[in-house]
Amino acid sequence: MSLADQLAILAIVARVLGGWYVFAGAVALNAWRRNGFMDRTLQQLTGAPTDRIERLRGWTILGVGGLTLMSGLLLILLSPLAPPGFLACCALQGAYFAWARKALPPKDEAGRRGRRASTNAFLLYLVATVFVLGCNLVGLFTRPGG
């Protein structure tokens, strides 16, 4: 198998992975939209403003969802901006988890399961980021047409 064939296969894998992260980003953005709707509804019913922690969590969901979608799209396009996009998303997620570990410890089993699922998703995203960085090292993003 020639180098060109290997890069073509790598490009297909990268684009499929990018498609997955476009989907995952869209799901996260939809969750942000629904949470915002629920927060506004609760605020109208109770008259109490949304808790600042919940607002921060909402902004984090928006940021991570947007960066996830964008990095997936950049990967589909085999753009040289894909590695910085993935790294930016990792940085935001990592900062949130570092903060949440101290500021928002899970209060019950459902909270622990949710945190574990989110952490596992982040770890998978880190693996995908390493894959994207590897694609960059072998020149996938600098070749014309992928």
Side-chain angles (χ1 to χ4, degrees):
M1 182 181 294
S2 71
L3 177 60
D5 292 338
Q6 291 173 356
L7 284 174
I9 291 169
L10 187 61
I12 291 168
V13 172
R15 286 183 168 123
V16 168
L17 184 65
W20 168 253
Y21 282 114
V22 167
F23 171 75
V27 168
L29 291 175
N30 188 49
W32 168 77
R33 183 189 58 79
R34 284 182 314 184
N35 286 346
F37 173 77
M38 293 301 290
D39 287 346
R40 286 188 300 279
T41 302
L42 271 171
Q43 185 175 2
Q44 289 173 351
L45 289 173
T46 65
T50 303
D51 178 44
R52 70 178 184 81
I53 300 263
E54 283 303 314
R55 280 197 314 269
L56 177 62
R57 186 178 287 156
W59 285 112
T60 303
I61 292 170
L62 174 63
V64 169
L67 284 170
T68 300
L69 190 144
M70 180 196 67
S71 62
L73 184 59
L74 291 168
L75 189 55
I76 288 172
L77 298 173
L78 300 180
S79 168
L81 295 175
F86 271 80
L87 289 170
C89 192
C90 280
L92 180 57
Q93 288 183 66
Y96 174 77
F97 282 124
W99 171 79
R101 182 178 187 162
K102 297 284 186 188
L104 294 172
K107 296 179 178 143
D108 56 14
E109 185 55 34
R112 282 187 284 283
R113 279 194 310 268
R115 181 67 55 87
R116 201 168 23 254
S118 296
T119 302
N120 288 340
F122 173 56
L123 293 174
L124 286 173
Y125 194 84
L126 284 173
V127 170
T129 300
V130 170
F131 170 78
V132 170
L133 293 173
C135 288
N136 191 45
L137 283 175
V138 298
L140 185 64
F141 305 126
T142 57
R143 298 179 56 82

